[in-house]
Structure formats: structure tokens, C-alpha cells
């Protein structure tokens, strides 16, 4: 993360300006090579969802300076619309 943030070691005490700078650097670094979306799913963090071929990432930037990353990879198995119907049934409640 240090190379993306260009503001020194990420784990040091982080001011709002440095935190915003790091988040902006990360988003700008992905702008040309992926699709991303910003969200706030936790009160103390901003999540960047990144979609690249075959996987997507959930990257959370916390006000404390911590960064959490979760990676979801495709197994390459392409399914039919029946799979969508099943997913919708399983997650409708």
C-alpha cells in the first residue's frame, strides 16, 4: 500500500488529509484497469469494490489507517440462468 499512497508508511498515525490522499491514490490507480464502486458498509470505513476479469475485491480503508482486503475468485465455471433462479430463491429472505 505504501507505493500506492505515496504518503509514507500506511500504518503510521493517519490524518484525514493523508487518509483521503491514500484512498484517492488507490482509486485513481485502478481507474483505467478495472471497474470499481465506493460504499460505506461500516461506520468507520469506506469500501472500494473492484471488479477485474475473473475476480473481485472488497478493499476497506479505515479512519485508523488499517486496510482490509477480501478477494473473491471465479472457478471459471459458467452457469446457466437456472443458477440465477437458485441463487435468488436461496437469498430471497
Amino acid at each position: 500500500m505504501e507505493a500506492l499512497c505515496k504518503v509514507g508508511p500506511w500504518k503510521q498515525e493517519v490524518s484525514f488529509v493523508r487518509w483521503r490522499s491514500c484512498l484517492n491514490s488507490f482509486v485513481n490507480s485502478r481507474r483505467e484497469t478495472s471497474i470499481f464502486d465506493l460504499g460505506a458498509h461500516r461506520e468507520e470505513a469506506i469500501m472500494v469494490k473492484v471488479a477485474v476479469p475473473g475476480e473481485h475485491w472488497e478493499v476497506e480503508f479505515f479512519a485508523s489507517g488499517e486496510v482490509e482486503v477480501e478477494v473473491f475468485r471465479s472457478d471459471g465455471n459458467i452457469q446457466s440462468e437456472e443458477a440465477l433462479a437458485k441463487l435468488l430463491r436461496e437469498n430471497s429472505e
Side-chain angles (χ1 to χ4, degrees), residues 21-33 36:
S21 175
C22 186
L23 178 60
N24 285 342
S25 292
F26 176 77
V27 169
N28 287 333
S29 75
R30 305 306 314 159
R31 192 174 302 279
E32 297 298 321
T33 58
F36 62 90

Side-chain angles (χ1 to χ4, degrees), residues 59-79:
V59 184
E60 288 188 287
F61 292 84
F62 290 84
S64 66
E66 294 294 317
V67 177
E68 290 182 1
V69 180
E70 192 167 2
V71 178
F72 302 88
R73 287 196 175 91
S74 170
D75 63 5
N77 184 17
I78 307 299
Q79 300 180 32

Side-chain angles (χ1 to χ4, degrees), residues 31-61:
R31 192 174 302 279
E32 297 298 321
T33 58
S34 59
I35 298 170
F36 62 90
D37 183 31
L38 298 175
H41 302 284
R42 295 189 198 177
E43 191 171 308
E44 68 279 4
I46 292 179
M47 178 184 287
V48 181
K49 293 182 179 181
V50 180
V52 296
E55 64 186 48
H56 76 267
W57 317 331
E58 293 180 356
V59 184
E60 288 188 287
F61 292 84

Side-chain angles (χ1 to χ4, degrees), residues 75-87:
D75 63 5
N77 184 17
I78 307 299
Q79 300 180 32
S80 69
E81 67 181 270
E82 293 169 4
L84 177 59
K86 180 182 175 191
L87 288 168

